[in-house]
Amino acid sequence: MRVAVAVAWAAAGPTRGTRAGAASTPGASSDEDAALLPRVAAGDQRAARVLIDRHAGRVIATAQRLLADGAEAEDVAQEAMLRLWRAADSWEDRGAKLSTWLHRVTLNLCYDRLRRRSKTPRQTPLDDAPEPADPAPTAEAQLAAGEEEARLEAALRSLPERQRAAIVLRHLEGRSNPDIAAALEISVEAVESLLARGRRSLKARLTVEGEEATGMS
């Protein structure tokens, strides 16, 4: 099964290296997804490629925003799709939309990696270090935008896992509160609470960093 998924993943091509913010292929309904799953369970690589095209982009984007690492995000997406293939032959018993189920699996895989990181601090290889910024005036706007994005990513990483997931799914992925509740397996009211606390924490963190950047106390 793992080999079949790897082949389908490679053949799907366009989803590989998807940037954060990229959406899945639009227009796919839950019924269409469910109709493909028996074919996937039977080893149909074409059906597998269709599901990858529909959903892997959003899975990668979610994982990349949570992990801030493109390679890890793609690994998470491959593992999430592999788990979907394993569940394909008994999908009628799952009782959830495929997209919601994939989000739940993606979040759990990301949480596992974040916990491992906290126990084993990572070092950035020299080859992965960022290139010095181009001092030319035409690069100033891009540099400022990059710094702003880095501040936002750092602020997101400072949030507790569930607050971060709720913020990413709601404000960066555009998911509805009921969808987020299903993915996190909590109530809609709990999602609203997570979002409110996450927004306050982000605002406070970004405000402090902005004051420090301008030399204010």
Side-chain angles (χ1 to χ4, degrees):
M1 178 68 77
R2 182 176 291 273
V3 172
V5 172
V7 170
W9 182 271
T15 60
R16 296 183 65 84
T18 301
R19 291 175 57 85
S24 304
T25 303
S29 71
S30 297
D31 289 343
E32 291 171 338
D33 286 338
L36 288 170
L37 289 171
R39 292 169 53 190
V40 170
D44 186 334
Q45 291 181 12
R46 181 175 296 179
R49 288 197 297 270
V50 171
L51 286 180
I52 288 171
D53 286 339
R54 286 180 180 176
H55 298 285
R58 189 177 291 277
V59 170
I60 291 173
T62 299
Q64 187 160 339
R65 286 185 173 118
L66 290 171
L67 299 172
D69 186 307
E72 278 200 278
E74 190 161 320
D75 287 345
V76 163
Q78 289 193 58
E79 179 61 28
M81 300 310 287
L82 177 63
R83 293 191 182 190
L84 176 61
W85 307 156
R86 289 171 175 163
D89 60 355
S90 59
W91 184 259
E92 64 274 8
D93 299 326
R94 296 281 161 176
K97 290 195 304 184
L98 186 150
S99 60
T100 300
W101 186 89
L102 270 177
H103 265 91
R104 187 182 305 151
V105 170
T106 300
L107 293 174
N108 287 333
L109 290 170
C110 289
Y111 292 161
D112 288 344
R113 287 172 180 259
L114 290 169
R115 293 184 189 112
R116 288 199 296 270
R117 279 186 193 177
S118 66
K119 296 177 181 178
T120 309
R122 299 187 307 166
Q123 295 183 348
T124 302
L126 183 60
D127 289 345
D128 293 339
E131 293 292 330
D134 184 350
T138 55
E140 291 179 357
Q142 293 181 353
L143 182 59
E147 291 174 347
E148 191 69 20
E149 185 175 349
R151 286 178 57 214
L152 177 58
E153 288 184 355
L156 279 171
R157 288 196 298 271
S158 74
L159 296 178
E161 289 175 354
R162 290 204 162 209
Q163 287 183 29
R164 185 189 323 171
I167 291 289
V168 166
L169 292 175
R170 182 71 184 92
H171 295 291
L172 301 180
E173 297 296 330
R175 308 290 291 189
S176 69
N177 285 4
D179 279 349
I180 298 169
L184 295 179
E185 298 184 283
I186 57 178
S187 68
V188 172
E189 290 76 13
V191 169
E192 293 169 351
S193 178
L194 285 173
L195 289 170
R197 297 201 306 273
R199 291 187 195 110
R200 287 196 298 268
S201 296
L202 278 178
K203 182 178 180 180
R205 171 71 180 261
L206 292 172
T207 298
V208 169
E209 289 186 353
E211 291 175 350
E212 291 176 348
T214 57
M216 297 172 59
S217 58

